[in-house]
């Protein structure tokens, strides 16, 4: 079954390659920017780059939109698809219904992973959450998702949004905490790598004992003097950091008090 | 060389066992709560539990305070030590000088790790930061730290505080982000374990490519519509979560804009 990919960002890039390798021939890759589309196409067996959204002559059956959520509204408006197309997006937080104006058969294929072009992804371990407007589409999406992942689940738009928000905390915000830590150290010529055993131990413990049993530190102990010392310290670097420190610490204090 | 440990919490527990195993005989363990002191003593070769702070008859040379930062002020006031004692604390954020009123020879031994009694720690990989008031004390602390860790560094009180603040972000706050994610999922009967590949990939990437190259997500993309959708979603669960989401996202947007 042939597939067209609309988008050439991190998700589009990895999904196109995974599907192509799994025997779903990716025929077209769309990006407004021809160079971006071509960069993906070069990794595929028999795809062509496309900079317009008129797919009326396409022989693909499945069309996957993997653009930023901000760009999706515009893409959905301009898209012209063949009659029997199944149109799918990959967003964690958009409802499936956003696609209704562009196609009769619609669905969602949400891969729960963080993607960077420069790093390979083992899709077999990536949970995939699917949703479809009808049984036929659901079967087709289920087969496609199972071709690349061992962990495929049917899910509602609401639960998918909850998973996306949880993923933002667990991945994007976790990474930003590491970024802040690196900044604090590097401004003093100290090496971020010294935190590696601490970070590895924390995450390992959190995934085995659970995050509540793993929580330590001044906020967990209700050690208000240290919280004050740290906020004073951070104000010297960046007021916004002191505010982030304050709201997270307050939440920890409230969660574990008593 | 004999050692006495003042405190019976997570750090005291692991440090006492590591020193005892490395040939530094731990002779006394102090806690106001006799049962807590005894619990540590039972893991040691020849230590006794102590509930008062009069160590004038002690034959130990090194005294390590490992109590919460809040409790330290009180302990330091009440402590009575032999003349040649070397008094050390293990706090990341207290200056060494807080010990001046209790002893002539003072120092700090700060282990950069998160400790939970129920989980063994491989001290050989734990970075240890030391500081001492004189050369003799520094040599003694250096030898002691090297007996349990392969990564021992001399450091100033100021840099130690920076490391502690960085560690709070990298460990305590990172873990709290995972805790929030778990809460969001479990309120809807969804399994936290589904986030495991995402968390593992994020942290692995962050430690190899660096946190800046690893940052993804709606705030990184400047996707304001999704940020609004997520904050609306979180207000239904807990207003404080929406505020945490807002301040961290704003910081990411500011850091990566343009």
């Amino acid at each position: 079954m042939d597939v067209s990919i609309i988008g050439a960002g991190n998700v589009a890039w990895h999904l196109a390659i995974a599907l192509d390798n799994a025997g779903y021939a990716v025929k077209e890759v769309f990006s407004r920017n021809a160079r971006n589309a071509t960069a993906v196409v070069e990794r595929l067996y028999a795809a062509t780059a496309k900079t317009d959204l008129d797919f009326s002559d396409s022989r693909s059956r499945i069309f996957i939109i993997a653009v930023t959520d901000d760009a999706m509204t515009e893409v959905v408006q301009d898209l012209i698809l063949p009659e029997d197309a199944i149109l799918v997006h990959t967003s964690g937080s958009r409802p499936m219904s956003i696609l209704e104006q562009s196609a009769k058969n619609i669905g969602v294929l949400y891969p729960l992973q963080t993607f960077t072009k420069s790093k390979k992804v083992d899709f077999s371990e990536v949970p995939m959450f699917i949703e479809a407007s009808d049984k036929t589409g659901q079967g087709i999406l289920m087969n496609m998702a199972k071709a690349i992942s061992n962990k495929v689940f049917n899910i509602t738009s609401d639960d998918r949004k909850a998973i996306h928000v949880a993923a933002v905390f667990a991945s994007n915000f976790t990474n930003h905490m590491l970024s802040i830590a690196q900044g604090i150290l590097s401004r003093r010529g100290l090496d971020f790598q010294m935190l590696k055993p601490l970070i590895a131990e924390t995450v390992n413990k959190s995934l085995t004992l659970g995050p509540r049993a793993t929580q330590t530190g001044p906020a967990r102990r209700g050690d208000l003097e240290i919280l004050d010392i740290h906020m004073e310290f951070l104000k010297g670097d960046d007021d916004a950091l002191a505010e982030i420190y304050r709201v997270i610490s307050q939440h920890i204090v409230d969660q574990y008090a008593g």
Side-chain angles (χ1 to χ4, degrees), chain A residues 179-255:
Chain A
S179 190
I180 290 171
Q182 183 183 41
I184 292 166
L185 294 179
S186 68
R187 275 190 283 281
R188 288 158 187 87
L190 298 165
D191 183 6
F192 176 60
Q193 291 298 320
M194 71 166 72
L195 295 176
K196 204 167 171 170
L198 173 65
I199 294 164
E201 173 77 357
T202 302
V203 173
N204 179 32
K205 231 189 244 184
S206 203
L207 292 174
T208 51
L209 305 178
R212 266 196 89 86
T214 302
Q215 193 66 49
T216 62
R220 171 68 183 86
R221 293 191 303 269
D223 195 332
L224 304 180
E225 278 187 52
I226 294 294
L227 299 184
D228 283 343
I229 290 172
H230 286 182
M231 277 185 285
E232 272 310 306
F233 174 88
L234 288 167
K235 278 176 191 159
D237 274 19
D238 175 356
D239 275 350
L241 287 186
E243 178 64 5
I244 291 172
Y245 188 99
R246 193 188 64 75
V247 296
I248 299 175
S249 293
Q250 187 62 55
H251 199 249
I252 295 172
V253 169
D254 292 345
Q255 295 272 303

Side-chain angles (χ1 to χ4, degrees), chain A residues 60-63 81-87 102-106:
Chain A
S60 291
R61 179 79 190 278
I62 305 170
F63 295 79
L81 294 178
E83 185 63 25
D84 66 342
I86 300 172
L87 178 63
S102 310
K104 206 173 71 211
N105 302 307
I106 57 178

Side-chain angles (χ1 to χ4, degrees), chain A residues 47-82:
Chain A
T48 55
K50 212 170 143 53
T51 57
D52 70 284
L53 286 164
D54 182 353
F55 287 89
S56 46
D57 293 334
S58 173
R59 290 170 58 193
S60 291
R61 179 79 190 278
I62 305 170
F63 295 79
I64 303 175
I65 303 181
V67 299
T68 66
D69 291 284
D70 262 358
M72 203 189 301
T73 318
E74 207 185 318
V75 164
V76 165
Q77 271 165 6
D78 295 351
L79 200 56
I80 305 170
L81 294 178

